[in-house]
Amino acid sequence: MPIVQEMEDEAEAGLYRALADPTRRLLLDELRERDDQSLFELCTRLAVVHQVTSSRQAVSQHLAVLEAAGLVRTRRSGRTKLHTLSTAPLRAVLERWPLPTEETP
């Protein structure tokens, strides 16, 4: 198998692994609602809205997995890291397996 294909396959596998975890999917939901959230804000939203009481370290690790999969972008603003949703990897999935078009009668 060519090296480029192996790299693409591994990136795709990382995307599916990232999406497999329910806490990571909740983090993506929260970032869809509002981008540029800090770790503190995301931990608070998980606890208050979803009753998920993961430690800050666990949430930080989840964010790192999402970032490695290309689903989250992180930037610094002063001492704070802000997290933003990136849907580009999801578009690649839709391009591979497009949704059927609905025909109206």
Side-chain angles (χ1 to χ4, degrees), residues 13-48:
L15 171 65
Y16 299 129
R17 281 192 297 271
L19 291 171
D21 186 90
T23 300
R24 290 195 281 267
R25 291 193 304 269
L26 289 174
L27 286 167
L28 293 174
D29 289 341
E30 288 302 322
L31 290 172
R32 186 194 52 180
E33 291 293 319
R34 186 173 62 84
D35 273 336
D36 287 336
Q37 291 193 62
S38 69
L39 176 62
F40 175 78
E41 291 170 310
L42 288 167
C43 288
T44 301
R45 295 284 301 168
L46 286 178
V48 172

Side-chain angles (χ1 to χ4, degrees), residues 31-102:
L31 290 172
R32 186 194 52 180
E33 291 293 319
R34 186 173 62 84
D35 273 336
D36 287 336
Q37 291 193 62
S38 69
L39 176 62
F40 175 78
E41 291 170 310
L42 288 167
C43 288
T44 301
R45 295 284 301 168
L46 286 178
V48 172
V49 176
H50 304 285
Q51 291 73 49
V52 174
T53 56
S54 295
S55 69
R56 288 172 56 107
Q57 182 179 3
V59 174
S60 180
Q61 290 172 344
H62 283 304
L63 288 167
V65 170
L66 291 169
E67 189 171 6
L71 292 165
V72 170
R73 291 187 314 268
T74 301
R75 69 177 179 83
R76 286 209 173 268
S77 178
R79 295 178 58 193
T80 304
K81 287 173 73 174
L82 298 176
H83 308 280
T84 303
L85 177 65
S86 173
T87 58
L90 299 175
R91 277 188 240 118
V93 171
L94 285 175
E95 288 171 7
R96 181 172 178 174
W97 295 296
L99 297 174
T101 55
E102 290 187 36

